[in-house]
């Protein structure tokens, strides 16, 4: 509650700040010097980026980079406050779900000229990543830094106890009617307090000890880790086109039947109730042995493999009715604040962040997949050296089974409408057909 | 003989006490339960703070720290390198603990001192002075207690921004430093009960309101003032939203805001529980010390004003 009110306040503050912020930058000779502030939210990546900053400073002794890490919960509110108050960082990690609005509010510095002048090779990045950061106005607002896809983290001990082979896990199929082998495995991995499995007679769905599938939440508008890896195997997509679609498709029967199936897992006792997920991290409940499979993003690899005493395997998401897997393809980028006083230094730093020397450093830490193709492969090797097989994530990119994170205008408002609507469906209070009404509200935003 | 007679009543008294004792035992058990209910969470916080993050979830049932480590406390004090922190499953974020502590102390002290002093003046006016519309103004004041702080956050923020006071200590303390309706209400109730004779005697001696306020009312109200000061201080110490909005830069960021980095690192990521719990313990310490030092005074003053 507090958070959402804060977001509203901040959104209003941005709107009010529009007139206050200009892109005043000093002469280029001066602005290529001094201290740059750089913000990111993921503390796990801090060591990698600190090293990038150290290397960068060695090559550019006139520029100092000060990195500030801020938890995800406060990142966006403090950032937008910074825009209003004139204290925003010169460069910051940007998210696809947010940048459309930031660009529309003229808080981001277009970097087309610099990219052209410095001959940044945009084809070196993984397919599609660089295009994501071209705004509706045709200007480029960031250079890609990393990407993520979705995979199935599973508890190896639970699988072997249930007699499910890892080969089976790698070849799951799914459809919205009977759930395919995916539902069969989930049901079999679910165990009630008496030790009865979900597919056995006498299974007590009200006293479940281990859920077959973990639940992160209702998934609001994107369903990034919750349901989009399923809904988008039916040929459905969030919007009419992406990026910059103007029509959402939550009223599509293909989507609603998928969501009905998904919500049904809770009813069958295979997935925890939505209310039990509030305040708990899905990964932590997995490590506590409360769920056997968790669909989650590749940025969580470190978290899942970091738990002591839990052996984790990673399988690709199931193959859907159209004969293919699907995963949301999300990417982050570094953007420059329009109000920066050190424009040239900021551009240098952003280009460095997006270059091979820095992305290789990031790759070597085996935390996320860098945006550059070559660095991505190095990251996969670094993960392998750590004993983690990440092909479940990289396969999506290799086979082209990704779809892009839906980028549109009004994302905050769309989320505001879809979050309660999806929660109502996943908690079983309303049927998926109720999403048609929410979809109308969403599409009214674009009229 | 004398010894036996003197011994004889003793078993009698203990026999008489025995039924009394079971009741006592019941009372003690209840008390023990109440203490357990209020203390166990703190022990759990301590236990989590001393655990390694990566083992917390898998050893969630054990009462002892999971993989004992002081790493979380080192993280809080900024003594652990980000790489080590991440290896322990914690947040690689560093906080400048001593700087934030200093800011917290300054922020809480200024607002407490200001709010208590100005509220006392206002309460004096509401309780002891007679002026037109006094009760109407007071009702209006009380009414403002009903306005949720979130409603005033944005206007306040814009005001502070337009005054160019963002990221300054002045901007942080301004909304709190003059008064709070609760403080005025609290002190007014106390001032209303002060004897009018003393005040009248002082007036006969030629004292004006300013002198009465400083020399008679304030010294006599030391106990409620101390109570209010402590309550305000604790409230200000735990204040989060406003300092987050206004004081985002290091030199004014307060401890509570600084601790936010342990709360969440990435979307959907698990918080750094051990770091968060260690930080919570450390940040609660000053308040606990204050409470230990002044707790008795507060209980007395509340009892005092309650009886009257």
């Amino acid at each position: 509650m507090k958070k959402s009110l804060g977001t509203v306040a901040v959104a209003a503050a941005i709107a009010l700040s529009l007139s206050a912020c200009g892109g005043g930058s000093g002469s280029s000779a001066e602005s290529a010097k001094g201290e740059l502030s750089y913000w990111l939210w993921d503390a796990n990546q801090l060591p990698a980026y600190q090293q990038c900053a150290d290397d960068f400073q060695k090559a550019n002794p006139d520029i100092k980079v000060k990195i500030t890490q801020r938890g995800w919960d406060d990142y966006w509110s403090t950032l937008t406050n910074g825009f209003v108050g004139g204290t925003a960082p010169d460069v910051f990690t940007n998210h696809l779900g947010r940048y459309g609005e930031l660009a529309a509010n003229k808080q981001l510095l277009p970097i087309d000229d610099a990219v052209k002048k410095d001959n940044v090779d945009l084809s070196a990045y993984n397919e599609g990543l660089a295009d994501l950061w071209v705004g509706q106005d045709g200007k480029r607002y960031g250079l890609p830094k990393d990407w993520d896809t979705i995979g199935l983290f599973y508890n190896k001990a639970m699988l072997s106890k249930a007699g499910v082979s890892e080969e089976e896990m790698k070849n799951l199929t799914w459809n919205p009617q009977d759930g395919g082998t995916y539902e069969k495995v989930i049901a079999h991995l679910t165990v009630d307090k008496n030790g009865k499995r979900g597919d056995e007679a006498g299974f007590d769905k009200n006293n479940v000890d281990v859920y077959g599938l973990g639940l992160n939440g209702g998934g609001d508008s994107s369903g990034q880790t919750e349901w989009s890896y399923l809904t988008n195997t039916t040929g459905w997509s969030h919007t009419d086109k992406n990026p910059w679609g103007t029509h959402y498709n939550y009223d599509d029967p293909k989507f609603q039947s998928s969501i009905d199936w998904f919500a049904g897992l809770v009813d069958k006792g295979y997935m925890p109730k939505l209310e039990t997920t509030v305040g708990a991290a899905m990964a932590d409940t997995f490590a506590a042995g409360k769920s056997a499979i968790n669909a989650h993003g590749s940025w969580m690899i470190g978290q899942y493999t970091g738990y002591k005493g839990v052996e984790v395997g990673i399988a690709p998401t199931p193959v859907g009715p159209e004969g293919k897997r699907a995963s949301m393809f999300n990417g982050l980028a570094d953007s420059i604040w329009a109000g920066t006083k050190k424009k040239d230094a900021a551009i240098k730093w952003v280009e460095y962040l997006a270059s091979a020397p820095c992305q290789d450093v990031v790759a070597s830490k085996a935390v996320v997949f860098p945006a550059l193709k070559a660095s991505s492969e190095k990251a996969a090797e670094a993960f392998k050296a750590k004993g983690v097989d990440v092909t479940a994530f990289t396969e999506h990119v290799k086979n082209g089974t990704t779809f892009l994170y839906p980028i549109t205008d009004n994302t905050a408002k769309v989320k505001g409408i879809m979050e309660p609507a999806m929660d109502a469906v996943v908690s079983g209070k309303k049927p998926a057909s109720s999403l048609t009404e929410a979809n109308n509200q969403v599409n009214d935003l674009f009229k | 003989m004398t010894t036996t007679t003197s011994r004889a009543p003793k078993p009698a008294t203990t026999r008489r006490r025995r039924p009394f004792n079971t009741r006592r035992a019941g009372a003690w058990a209840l008390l023990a339960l109440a203490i357990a209910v209020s203390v166990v969470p703190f022990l759990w916080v301590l236990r989590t703070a001393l655990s390694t993050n990566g083992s917390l979830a898998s050893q969630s049932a054990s009462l002892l720290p999971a993989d004992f480590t002081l790493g979380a406390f080192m993280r809080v004090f900024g003594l652990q390198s980000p790489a080590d922190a991440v290896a322990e499953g914690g947040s690689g974020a560093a906080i400048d603990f001593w700087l934030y502590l200093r800011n917290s102390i300054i922020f809480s002290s200024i607002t407490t001192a200001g709010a208590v002093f100005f509220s006392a003046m206002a309460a004096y006016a509401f309780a002891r002075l007679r002026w037109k519309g006094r009760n109407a103004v007071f009702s209006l004041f009380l009414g403002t207690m009903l306005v949720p702080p979130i409603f005033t956050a944005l206007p306040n923020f814009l005001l502070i921004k337009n005054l160019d006071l963002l990221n300054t200590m002045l901007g942080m303390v301004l909304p709190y430093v003059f008064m709070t309706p609760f403080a005025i209400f609290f002190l007014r109730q106390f001032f209303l009960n002060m004897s009018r004779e003393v005040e009248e005697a002082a007036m006969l001696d030629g004292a004006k309101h300013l002198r009465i306020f400083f020399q008679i009312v304030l010294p006599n109200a030391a106990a409620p003032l101390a109570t209010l000061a402590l309550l305000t201080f604790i409230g200000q110490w735990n204040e989060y939203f406003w300092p987050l909005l206004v004081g985002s830069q290091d030199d004014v960021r307060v401890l509570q805001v600084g601790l936010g980095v342990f709360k969440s690192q990435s979307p959907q990521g698990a918080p750094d529980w051990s770091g968060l719990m260690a930080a919570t313990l450390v940040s609660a310490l000053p308040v606990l010390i204050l409470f230990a030092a002044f707790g008795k005074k507060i209980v007395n003053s509340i009892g005092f004003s309650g009886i009257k």
Side-chain angles (χ1 to χ4, degrees):
Chain A
M1 193 62 194
K2 194 181 100 185
K3 204 169 113 188
S4 60
L5 279 169
T7 320
V8 172
V10 159
I14 295 191
L16 284 159
S17 77
L18 284 181
S19 52
C21 290
S25 64
S27 76
S28 58
E30 272 171 332
S31 66
K33 273 186 195 168
E35 191 178 86
L36 276 180
S37 53
Y38 174 59
W39 283 12
L40 51 84
W41 63 75
D42 190 352
N44 293 325
Q45 297 179 45
L46 193 58
Y49 284 102
Q50 188 57 57
Q51 197 182 322
C52 285
D54 294 345
D55 296 346
F56 178 74
Q57 278 164 200
K58 231 169 262 165
N60 301 278
D62 287 347
I63 308 174
K64 256 187 76 117
V65 178
K66 185 172 177 263
I67 302 183
T68 303
Q69 181 268 347
R70 200 156 289 204
W72 173 260
D73 285 351
D74 291 335
Y75 188 82
W76 298 99
S77 55
T78 37
L79 189 68
T80 40
N81 260 304
F83 295 148
V84 179
T87 54
D90 301 302
V91 181
F92 61 95
T93 305
N94 208 345
H95 192 274
L96 286 174
R98 310 276 177 153
Y99 106 93
E101 265 151 299
L102 296 184
N105 283 333
K106 308 232 182 312
Q107 296 297 342
L108 304 179
L109 189 79
I111 53 171
D112 304 75
D113 297 345
V115 166
K116 206 175 286 165
K117 196 184 93 201
D118 298 328
N119 291 321
V120 178
D121 179 13
L122 296 170
S123 65
Y125 299 105
N126 274 298
E127 228 66 53
L129 287 182
D131 304 336
L132 289 173
W133 297 91
V134 177
Q136 241 168 332
D137 53 6
K139 288 178 185 154
R140 184 173 299 280
Y141 289 107
L143 282 176
K145 64 193 290 151
D146 60 21
W147 56 265
D148 53 70
T149 53
I150 308 301
L152 303 176
F153 293 88
Y154 57 84
N155 186 315
K156 282 190 178 176
M158 286 181 186
L159 247 74
S160 70
K161 210 174 152 201
V164 179
S165 74
E166 302 202 28
E167 210 42 49
E168 261 175 89
M169 271 308 285
K170 289 198 170 88
N171 295 299
L172 294 172
T173 60
W174 175 83
N175 65 68
Q177 285 78 43
D178 64 3
T181 56
Y182 188 42
E183 179 170 338
K184 286 203 179 80
V185 165
I186 291 172
H188 193 57
L189 287 167
T190 307
V191 185
D192 73 5
K193 294 252 159 36
N194 301 319
K196 280 249 185 308
R197 293 192 174 277
D199 52 1
E200 283 173 356
F203 167 73
D204 180 3
K205 68 174 189 178
N206 295 314
N207 287 298
V208 178
D209 191 30
V210 180
Y211 291 98
L213 188 63
L215 180 63
N216 185 49
D220 57 69
S221 52
S222 77
Q224 184 176 16
T225 62
E226 291 86 359
W227 38 257
S228 68
Y229 69 96
L230 300 169
T231 54
N232 293 52
T233 60
T234 63
W236 178 82
S237 61
H238 290 75
T239 49
D240 52 348
K241 61 176 179 149
N242 197 17
W244 311 116
T246 51
H247 183 94
Y248 277 84
N249 299 323
Y250 301 117
D251 56 348
D252 190 323
K254 273 189 284 199
F255 174 71
Q256 296 186 350
S257 64
S258 305
I259 295 300
D260 264 330
W261 174 85
F262 184 71
L265 291 179
V266 179
D267 191 46
K268 291 170 191 159
Y270 301 160
M271 193 160 72
K273 290 188 167 55
L274 182 68
E275 56 264 32
T276 63
T277 64
V278 178
M282 179 167 81
D284 276 348
T285 34
F286 174 87
K290 292 285 158 200
S291 62
I293 303 174
N294 272 11
H296 227 157
S298 54
W299 68 92
M300 296 296 285
I301 296 172
Q303 179 99 35
Y304 277 94
T305 55
Y307 291 116
K308 288 188 186 135
V310 185
E311 267 226 75
V312 178
I314 310 168
T317 54
V319 175
E322 290 207 321
K324 282 205 305 196
R325 307 183 198 279
S327 164
M328 192 174 273
F329 196 31
N330 179 40
L332 305 180
D334 291 302
S335 292
I336 302 172
W337 175 41
T340 179
K341 292 196 175 67
K342 294 150 197 137
K343 198 175 135 194
D344 291 354
I347 287 172
K348 257 189 183 174
W349 171 234
V350 165
E351 285 181 352
Y352 184 75
L353 286 168
S355 71
C358 176
Q359 301 216 343
D360 282 350
V361 167
V362 174
S364 70
K365 305 274 178 185
V367 188
V368 290
F369 298 104
L372 286 167
K373 282 180 206 157
S375 308
S376 269
E377 276 156 28
K378 283 183 186 154
E381 279 161 29
F383 276 116
K384 209 173 182 181
K386 269 181 152 182
V388 185
D389 178 11
V390 293
T391 45
F393 298 108
T394 52
E395 228 173 54
H396 278 298
V397 182
K398 209 193 287 164
N399 301 342
T401 51
T402 57
F403 59 93
L404 294 174
Y405 188 101
I407 302 168
T408 65
D409 258 352
N410 301 314
T411 41
K413 285 181 193 152
V414 173
K415 190 171 175 243
I417 295 168
M418 288 309 292
E419 189 161 358
M422 284 306 303
D423 283 358
V425 174
V426 174
S427 61
K429 289 194 187 84
K430 282 187 183 166
S433 54
S434 68
L435 295 172
T436 304
E437 168 56 26
N439 193 58
N440 292 339
Q441 286 181 39
V442 166
N443 285 328
D444 281 347
L445 295 173
F446 295 88
K447 275 177 188 157
Chain B
M1 203 50 198
T2 44
T3 49
T4 46
T5 44
S6 68
R7 263 179 208 158
K10 261 188 191 163
T13 50
T14 47
R15 220 174 286 138
R16 235 179 293 137
R17 261 188 192 167
R18 215 164 265 155
F20 185 59
N21 258 350
T22 53
R23 276 173 130 190
R24 266 180 94 96
W28 276 109
L30 215 66
L31 195 65
L33 188 76
I35 291 174
V37 165
S38 48
V39 168
V40 164
F42 283 100
L43 289 178
W44 198 252
V45 167
L46 184 66
R47 174 251 176 204
T48 307
L50 293 171
S51 300
T52 304
N53 241 338
S55 308
L56 263 180
S58 44
Q59 297 179 32
S60 54
S62 129
L63 283 171
L64 292 170
D67 269 355
F68 178 86
T69 172
L70 288 175
F73 286 96
M74 290 169 64
R75 263 201 300 291
V76 173
F77 292 112
L79 299 172
Q80 197 174 38
S81 75
D84 287 349
V86 171
E88 268 191 13
S91 162
I95 65 166
D96 201 338
F97 179 80
W98 299 109
L99 181 68
Y100 298 169
L101 182 74
R102 185 204 73 181
N103 293 340
S104 268
I105 291 173
I106 295 176
F107 172 70
S108 308
S109 307
I110 294 181
T111 48
T112 302
V116 168
F117 177 69
F118 294 118
S119 298
M121 287 174 95
Y124 179 73
F126 280 125
R128 313 302 296 190
L129 306 185
R130 291 199 188 120
W131 39 284
K132 218 177 150 193
R134 185 180 81 168
N135 291 336
V137 173
F138 185 66
S139 319
L140 199 72
F141 245 96
L142 275 193
T144 60
M145 278 172 81
L146 299 174
V147 180
I150 192 74
F151 282 175
T152 52
L154 185 58
N156 277 349
F157 177 76
L158 290 173
L159 181 65
I160 295 294
K161 174 192 154 33
N162 291 336
L163 290 172
D164 219 5
L165 289 175
L166 287 180
N167 289 311
T168 62
M169 197 44 92
L170 187 61
M172 301 234 308
V173 302
L174 265 185
Y176 304 100
V177 77
F178 289 119
M179 39 114 232
T180 60
F182 169 75
I184 294 176
F185 174 73
F186 180 87
L187 290 176
R188 177 181 170 269
Q189 291 314 101
F190 182 83
F191 290 167
L192 278 177
N193 288 328
M194 285 177 103
S195 92
R196 198 156 269 286
E197 285 84 1
V198 183
E199 206 180 335
E200 277 164 2
M203 280 191 172
L204 286 179
D205 283 345
K208 291 271 163 25
H209 280 302
L210 207 62
R211 188 146 173 221
I212 294 173
F213 176 69
F214 279 107
Q215 294 202 328
I216 296 173
V217 173
L218 277 192
N220 274 314
L225 285 177
T227 307
L228 185 66
L230 195 76
L231 291 178
T232 314
F233 191 88
I234 294 172
Q236 292 304 111
W237 189 267
N238 293 329
E239 188 66 42
Y240 181 76
F241 191 57
W242 180 254
L244 174 75
L245 280 180
V246 175
S248 62
Q249 274 177 358
D250 259 359
D251 48 348
V252 287
R253 191 184 298 164
V254 298
L255 205 46
Q256 302 297 344
V257 175
L259 301 187
V261 299
F262 295 108
K263 211 171 63 194
S264 75
Q265 301 155 44
S266 55
Q268 305 179 356
D272 175 0
W273 288 117
S274 36
L276 189 60
M277 291 302 125
T280 309
L281 268 186
V282 172
S283 74
L285 221 53
V287 170
L288 283 177
I289 292 170
L290 264 185
F291 211 80
F294 296 108
K296 211 169 172 186
K297 208 163 195 173
I298 288 165
V299 173
N300 282 345
S301 87
I302 290 173
F304 178 47
S305 51
I307 288 160
K308 274 209 164 183

